[in-house]
Amino acid sequence: MRRQAQNHIRHYLRKDVNGVVELALPVNADKRRAAEETIERVMLGISPLFTGLDKDAFAKEKDSYKPLTSFITAVAEAIKKNSKVASRLLLPYKRTDTAIVNSETSSRVDIALRCGDVKSKPKLFEANFDSSAEDKKQRENADRLYYEDVFALIEVKRHASASDEAGAFEQLVRYTREVYDKQHNRRFAWGLTICGLDLRVCVFGANYILASEKFDLKAESGRRQFVRMLVYWSFCEEHRLGYDPTVRRLKELGCWEIDVPRLEKPGSCSKANARVDTFYSNTVIISADRQFSRLTRCFLAGREKPSSSESVKHIEHQVIIKDAWPEAEMDASNDMRDE
């Protein structure tokens, strides 16, 4: 696994790419304007928010976890206070340097981010914490992270050396592969590396890894880019986060809801001629269990929506769904996605 990650970095990683942060810029003009205004308001109070992250280096890597998670949470609080049109809040899990329950490896993730409800009070996520569990060991086992719930991962290293940065990229590649494997609606993924106090924003696509230039978090310009990234993620459309809007995880039921376009007129791709059928799946027969490729997924699915988590077990499989590109508004002959 480690050697494969190193090969991927050698062949697919492109560092110092301009405009990576802007890939999450909201498409909607009103949200884009609100996001830029929010960045300015957050930056006005940035000094007290950045307490603990103004050092040249930390004695230990883990000493940076609390200042980083506190900063991200404080930015979320500022976004909630200063804007009424944010779509979500990006928040870190309370657990840091932790194993993820359904991981294929024993690796430990430094910091994990999750999308939180913008209406809720910003606070550190406590994963699947069961407050009713009285036994200490039972409570600890309940407070675990799952790749299905993670939006992005942050890999932290103590120093800004080339070897530490290479190690951060390697770990991020391995973890992101598992995000693809467990999140069947993920088209591309985000991640961050923080080496010393040099931040890079990364985007993982089907045939590339784009890493931004280094942002020095000790400098105001670097802190602004960190804030900008968190704000854009909070305001942008869901597809800018890397999710396929036609495949949705119904966590409360424990299944997947999938929209499949059906054309009334063969050869026409206009929305006026398309009809969407919705299916429900509890069985994934092929997952995207790799970092780079077409990321093909196949589901066994039925038409009837389960009424409860118990009825999910009895979904009648009527079709096999192979993932496909979402419906286009252009004529099929002009659709550049056609294989």
Side-chain angles (χ1 to χ4, degrees):
M1 194 76 70
R2 184 175 181 182
R3 180 172 296 178
Q4 184 182 57
Q6 292 170 340
N7 286 336
H8 286 161
I9 290 169
R10 196 158 45 245
H11 290 100
Y12 298 110
L13 177 62
R14 300 292 180 268
K15 293 196 289 188
D16 300 317
V17 177
N18 292 324
V20 172
V21 172
E22 284 68 26
L23 292 175
L25 183 69
V27 176
N28 179 276
D30 292 335
K31 287 215 168 188
R32 188 162 61 241
R33 190 181 311 109
E36 296 299 341
E37 292 172 355
T38 301
I39 291 168
E40 296 308 316
R41 293 193 186 107
V42 174
M43 288 302 296
L44 289 175
I46 197 66
S47 295
L49 297 184
F50 217 70
T51 303
L53 286 176
D54 51 0
K55 304 178 180 181
D56 290 330
F58 290 92
K60 297 179 181 178
E61 180 184 301
K62 66 179 182 180
D63 292 343
S64 65
Y65 298 158
K66 186 173 181 179
L68 283 168
T69 56
S70 296
F71 175 75
I72 295 168
T73 305
V75 171
E77 291 173 345
I79 291 171
K80 183 177 175 65
K81 178 181 177 181
N82 289 288
S83 178
K84 295 182 179 180
V85 297
S87 300
R88 65 194 69 82
L89 297 176
L90 271 296
L91 292 162
Y93 282 91
K94 187 174 182 179
R95 277 181 176 267
T96 54
D97 186 27
T98 186
I100 294 188
V101 171
N102 52 347
S103 173
E104 298 175 7
T105 70
S106 58
S107 301
R108 303 178 71 84
V109 170
D110 291 337
I111 299 173
L113 298 180
R114 184 175 175 181
C115 296
D117 187 348
V118 72
K119 297 178 182 178
S120 301
K121 177 180 172 64
K123 62 179 181 179
L124 295 175
F125 273 114
E126 296 201 35
N128 297 282
F129 184 72
D130 181 4
S131 59
S132 64
E134 296 180 0
D135 179 78
K136 182 178 180 182
K137 188 172 182 179
Q138 186 180 353
R139 288 166 68 96
E140 289 176 349
N141 288 335
D143 184 16
R144 291 290 184 266
L145 278 69
Y146 291 81
Y147 271 115
E148 288 90 340
D149 299 322
V150 168
F151 163 65
L153 299 164
I154 303 176
E155 186 56 34
V156 181
K157 295 296 181 186
R158 182 185 171 197
H159 300 293
S161 64
S163 59
D164 270 9
E165 185 175 72
F169 280 128
E170 178 197 312
Q171 287 176 273
L172 206 55
V173 165
R174 287 191 281 125
Y175 301 156
T176 302
R177 186 192 70 82
E178 296 206 60
V179 169
Y180 278 124
D181 184 34
K182 304 299 190 299
Q183 296 184 16
H184 308 304
N185 59 342
R186 206 62 185 261
R187 297 168 65 192
F188 63 89
W190 294 85
L192 302 175
T193 63
I194 301 177
C195 300
L197 281 175
D198 287 341
L199 165 73
R200 285 191 194 266
V201 179
C202 303
V203 175
F204 296 82
N207 61 349
Y208 60 81
I209 308 171
L210 303 181
S212 71
E213 62 269 43
K214 291 181 181 179
F215 303 127
D216 183 0
L217 296 182
K218 298 190 298 297
E220 182 180 351
S221 58
R223 296 194 288 270
R224 176 179 288 272
Q225 290 299 325
F226 196 3
V227 169
R228 184 182 301 279
M229 188 75 268
L230 294 170
V231 171
Y232 283 176
W233 281 339
S234 299
F235 281 77
C236 72
E237 294 75 12
E238 192 170 6
H239 70 271
R240 304 285 264 186
L241 298 178
Y243 295 106
D244 183 344
T246 68
V247 182
R248 298 172 293 277
R249 180 186 175 206
L250 303 182
K251 186 176 180 180
E252 69 282 1
L253 292 177
C255 68
W256 293 88
E257 183 178 66
I258 307 166
D259 291 338
V260 179
R262 197 164 96 187
L263 301 178
E264 295 297 337
K265 295 181 179 179
S268 173
C269 286
S270 68
K271 282 192 174 180
N273 296 321
R275 188 179 75 195
V276 172
D277 292 332
T278 302
F279 295 86
Y280 299 88
S281 174
N282 61 353
T283 305
V284 180
I285 54 179
I286 298 177
S287 67
D289 60 346
R290 60 192 65 200
Q291 179 70 67
F292 303 100
S293 71
R294 171 72 168 72
L295 302 177
T296 296
R297 300 170 173 102
C298 289
F299 304 83
L300 294 177
R303 292 179 179 274
E304 186 175 346
K305 183 177 181 178
S307 58
S308 67
S309 56
E310 182 62 29
S311 64
V312 166
K313 302 175 185 177
H314 308 291
I315 290 177
E316 181 183 353
H317 297 148
Q318 301 163 311
V319 297
I320 296 176
I321 300 174
K322 176 181 177 293
D323 69 337
W325 298 112
E327 190 67 12
E329 300 207 16
M330 62 188 76
D331 185 85
S333 62
N334 296 320
D335 189 350
M336 294 183 293
R337 303 168 305 174
D338 187 12
E339 296 180 321

